[in-house]
Amino acid sequence: MSLTPEDRKAIVALLHREVVPALGCTEPIAVALCAARAAEALGCRPTRLDVAVSANLLKNGMGVMVPGTGEMGLAVAAAAGALGGKSALGLECLRDLDADAAEAARHMAASDAVVLHLPDNDDLLYCLVTATADGHSAAAELRDSHDNITRVWRDGALVSDAAAAPGGLPAEETAWPLSMARIEAFARTAPLGEISFILDAARMNRRVAEEGLRTQYGLGVGKMVDAQIQRHVLADDLPTFAVKLTAAAADARMAGVMLPVMSNSGSGNQGITCTMPVVACAIRKGCDDEQLARALIVSHLTSIHIKHHLGRLSAHCGAMVAATAAACGMALLMGGGLPDMERTIRNMVGNVAGMICDGAKSSCALKVATAVSAGIQAVLLALDGTVVPGNEGIVDDDIEACIANLGRLGSSGMKEADKVILDIMLHKA
């Protein structure tokens, strides 16, 4: 397949928009970012925060640590953003949070000065933070993507109104630039200078993985795998190495490590899972930077493409999508082509399509490990010519129809599941 200059430009722009650094789990960080912008508009230290968050954002922010605070939840995230965040840093808005601001944020959250509630809309990703102090108020609104501040008010007057395409994606009248055929063609033919920035994802996410192997974070899934390798219970082979690195990075990130990761489609765990299995494969196969960059482009674009059908937040676990994408990148490193990538996706859809998302938390590292293991199985079968037939389940011989089927399952079919999951989470004894 040949790509026009316009095609290439659109794909590069999409990559730069969707593959960005993020510090901490992106749901609480989105709230922190929104709160930081509201506090900046207020112009003084707020004494109270009213935080309206969509149900999906609430679900994914309840059980994950907020970097620099030592605590979890959206209340402390909002307080940290308002008292020590910088909106100009985007998804790294808590990068400069100091000990005093962190302590003030913990106190603010503990004293019930942060009120959380659901908004008056059905948006999947939405946050409105109103900050008040000394008789004045300011508000900031975020919607559709984790760093998309749309409107800002001060004392009821609109001071900023930034129109943006939903989800930070191309406007509806713009044709979606991706298909698996286009992704494979772009990854193989793009000038290295045009795509070498993706190597930052390898460096950044590997650093977090190595931190997760050094220190006990969360469930310590990566460290456990490493320990079992040392005890000769598990083999130190490529699949285990990939699981170890990816899970260790997720362990550290879910525990609030003060290191950024390269995210994908608004999710740090998806960015990690898109990246680390491909890095592990490149290390074990002795691939050079160009080979790694092209494989990472396949992985990150495939994840963006599948998430376009699913939406940013749903009851469907993004680790499955990212591991599917990483397996496609591994196919390229292992000498495969487009048919192997398509078989890999079909094998994953036929295997682990039903993995649910029940919030961001320490056990996400377990789901990451499971998804990566399934992805490697899928690509090895694909390279051997084995594929789930298109007449089985939601799999389809047409790869774009197969991806659309997965998207329909996650975005429409699992809506009721999403409600039940949140209800269970909110009403635990």
Side-chain angles (χ1 to χ4, degrees):
M1 168 176 280
S2 61
L3 298 173
T4 67
E6 290 74 22
D7 291 334
R8 293 182 180 279
K9 184 178 179 180
I11 292 171
V12 170
L14 193 59
L15 275 166
H16 282 294
R17 186 160 49 241
E18 298 293 344
V19 182
V20 297
L23 177 66
C25 178
T26 49
E27 277 71 45
I29 292 302
V31 173
L33 172 62
C34 196
R37 186 65 188 92
E40 289 163 2
L42 184 63
C44 63
R45 188 186 183 104
T47 56
R48 182 177 174 84
L49 300 172
D50 181 274
V51 183
V53 290
S54 57
N56 282 79
L57 199 155
L58 177 64
K59 179 184 74 174
N60 282 339
M62 291 170 60
V64 66
M65 301 296 289
V66 178
T69 69
E71 294 190 8
M72 64 176 59
L74 295 183
V76 74
L83 301 180
K86 296 178 181 177
S87 68
L89 297 177
L91 294 178
E92 294 183 271
C93 63
L94 296 184
R95 188 177 70 191
D96 298 332
L97 185 73
D98 60 30
D100 290 341
E103 176 58 32
R106 288 190 291 267
H107 176 74
M108 186 179 202
S111 62
D112 297 325
V114 181
V115 177
L116 293 169
H117 59 92
L118 294 174
D120 240 352
N121 61 53
D122 296 323
D123 291 1
L124 291 177
L125 203 169
Y126 180 87
C127 180
L128 176 67
V129 176
T130 303
T132 57
D134 300 328
H136 293 280
S137 69
E141 176 190 71
L142 178 149
R143 67 193 321 156
D144 299 321
S145 67
H146 294 78
D147 59 353
N148 187 32
I149 301 287
T150 50
R151 292 183 293 178
V152 180
W153 299 262
R154 190 176 193 281
D155 289 331
L158 187 66
V159 296
S160 176
D161 189 358
L169 299 175
E172 288 185 6
E173 63 270 15
T174 303
W176 180 245
L178 298 181
S179 67
M180 288 310 301
R182 286 184 170 207
I183 289 168
E184 190 265 353
F186 177 80
R188 286 192 184 277
T189 62
L192 181 59
E194 198 171 78
I195 60 173
S196 59
F197 70 91
I198 203 69
L199 293 172
D200 290 340
R203 289 187 285 268
M204 191 177 291
N205 293 352
R206 186 175 180 182
R207 182 185 177 196
V208 176
E210 289 170 348
E211 173 62 20
L213 292 173
R214 277 193 299 268
T215 306
Q216 178 68 33
Y217 289 100
L219 298 182
V221 178
K223 276 182 69 68
M224 179 279 295
V225 172
D226 190 46
Q228 296 302 329
I229 291 171
Q230 304 307 317
R231 297 184 186 114
H232 304 290
V233 174
L234 294 175
D236 190 18
D237 54 16
L238 171 56
T240 309
F241 183 47
V243 168
K244 178 180 78 172
L245 288 182
T246 314
D251 283 321
R253 178 174 175 270
M254 291 291 92
V257 68
M258 285 294 285
L259 292 171
V261 302
M262 191 68 81
S263 66
N264 181 289
S265 303
S267 168
N269 273 357
Q270 287 173 48
I272 287 168
T273 308
C274 283
T275 303
M276 294 316 300
V278 181
V279 171
C281 185
I283 291 171
R284 288 298 171 90
K285 292 185 67 65
C287 299
D288 60 27
D289 280 354
E290 179 171 352
Q291 292 171 304
L292 174 59
R294 296 189 185 283
L296 286 172
I297 289 294
V298 166
S299 179
H300 280 270
L301 282 176
T302 299
S303 187
I304 292 167
H305 183 42
I306 298 175
K307 286 293 291 184
H308 175 65
H309 290 269
L310 277 162
R312 288 178 183 267
L313 296 176
S314 72
H316 189 275
C317 179
M320 177 266 171
V321 172
T324 300
C328 290
M330 294 174 73
L332 189 67
L333 290 179
M334 293 178 177
L338 180 59
D340 302 288
M341 296 173 195
E342 293 183 354
R343 285 193 291 266
T344 297
I345 294 170
R346 287 168 59 183
N347 288 341
M348 283 292 275
V349 172
N351 184 10
V352 289
M355 184 180 284
I356 66 164
C357 172
D358 53 346
K361 59 217 175 298
S362 63
S363 60
C364 287
L366 279 172
K367 293 187 178 185
V368 163
T370 297
V372 170
S373 180
I376 293 171
Q377 180 186 65
V379 69
L380 293 178
L381 287 168
L383 290 166
D384 199 41
T386 302
V387 63
V388 176
N391 62 350
E392 291 189 5
I394 66 169
V395 177
D396 197 288
D397 290 328
D398 183 317
I399 194 59
E400 299 305 326
C402 187
I403 291 171
N405 291 346
L406 177 65
R408 183 183 172 195
L409 171 69
S411 62
S412 300
M414 298 178 78
K415 279 186 177 179
E416 189 62 28
D418 208 25
K419 295 176 185 177
V420 172
I421 289 166
L422 183 61
D423 186 66
I424 291 171
M425 292 172 65
L426 291 175
H427 295 93
K428 289 184 180 181

